[in-house]
Amino acid sequence: MMISIKDAETYMQSGKYEKAKEILEQILAQTPDDIEAICNIGIAYTETGENIKAIRALEYYTGRIQDNPRAWEALGCAYFRRKDYGAAYRHLREAQKLAPHNPSVIRNLGVLFGVKGERELGYDMLKKALDMSPYDFRTLYALSYVHREFDNRKEARQTMELLLDMEIPEEIRTDTVLNMIKLDLGWD
């Protein structure tokens, strides 16, 4: 059976990044200069927390292909997770220039602004991202925290309830349940 980048992308779309990496590693073993495989494995590395590998792959890719907003966004996220907020901002802004209406990019910029202390701007960006993509669990999850930060308890609870009605990763479900208990007990 022939494996392809499309197979890896299908796994990535369903959140199965480990399986996607296996396929992409096989492709790159056969064709080390496959630029699309390099981009996709960089994105998969970002999603699995292998940020140094992600940065290497995505810097290589964006040095050759500059018009892929997914690559810039993943690169920004990898730098964010390494706490290099300046590089994260530069790369996320590049993604935003290429895809100004992408809710994922706007969400990630919102989280970045919040972490950098620009809480109001970050909050506004998260709300905008949610308006654009109302069922994105990552945006809802980030907003559940920010609503609590701004003492918007009703919105926080509604956001958490929405999250718990969705199919979400188990660690986010567990964290959301704990946060809802804390909210209900007034432990915030």
Side-chain angles (χ1 to χ4, degrees):
M1 185 171 93
M2 186 75 177
I3 57 168
S4 73
I5 290 177
K6 291 286 179 223
D7 296 327
E9 288 174 344
T10 299
Y11 282 117
M12 290 170 66
Q13 288 168 353
S14 62
K16 296 176 180 155
Y17 295 101
E18 291 297 334
K19 186 69 178 157
K21 283 191 314 190
E22 289 174 24
I23 292 170
L24 293 164
E25 286 167 357
Q26 290 175 31
I27 291 169
L28 288 168
Q30 296 168 4
T31 318
D33 60 346
D34 186 321
I35 199 75
E36 286 307 308
I38 291 168
C39 176
N40 280 304
I41 204 163
I43 292 168
Y45 284 145
T46 300
E47 293 295 334
T48 59
E50 298 171 82
N51 298 306
I52 293 171
K53 287 181 179 180
I55 289 167
R56 280 193 204 122
L58 292 166
E59 289 282 4
Y60 179 87
Y61 177 84
T62 57
R64 284 147 189 81
I65 309 289
Q66 286 88 36
D67 64 351
N68 183 340
R70 288 178 57 238
W72 290 107
E73 180 182 12
L75 189 52
C77 289
Y79 276 113
F80 177 86
R81 291 181 182 133
R82 304 260 320 140
K83 297 188 180 355
D84 184 342
Y85 300 133
Y89 176 76
R90 286 190 305 277
H91 293 95
L92 288 170
R93 288 289 291 160
E94 193 60 42
Q96 188 182 34
K97 284 181 203 166
L98 294 167
H101 304 293
N102 181 313
S104 178
V105 172
I106 292 168
R107 177 193 66 241
N108 284 315
L109 278 167
V111 170
L112 176 62
F113 283 119
V115 167
K116 288 176 59 177
E118 298 178 55
R119 295 175 52 216
E120 292 285 346
L121 178 58
Y123 193 27
D124 289 344
M125 292 184 91
L126 286 172
K127 289 189 283 188
K128 180 179 178 183
L130 187 65
D131 286 344
M132 297 168 84
S133 184
Y135 300 103
D136 177 42
F137 77 86
R138 289 177 178 94
T139 302
L140 287 165
Y141 184 60
L143 266 172
S144 72
Y145 274 90
V146 179
H147 284 319
R148 287 177 33 228
E149 249 182 68
F150 281 87
D151 202 30
N152 295 332
R153 300 175 66 78
K154 180 180 172 191
E155 290 89 343
R157 183 164 236 303
Q158 288 171 338
T159 303
M160 287 184 239
E161 287 171 354
L162 275 173
L163 265 173
L164 294 174
D165 285 342
M166 302 171 84
E167 277 197 36
I168 56 177
E170 196 54 43
E171 64 272 9
I172 292 178
R173 180 171 301 286
T174 301
D175 190 54
T176 301
V177 167
L178 290 173
N179 285 331
M180 189 178 268
I181 291 167
K182 289 177 187 176
L183 182 72
D184 290 346
L185 294 174
W187 289 358
D188 282 24

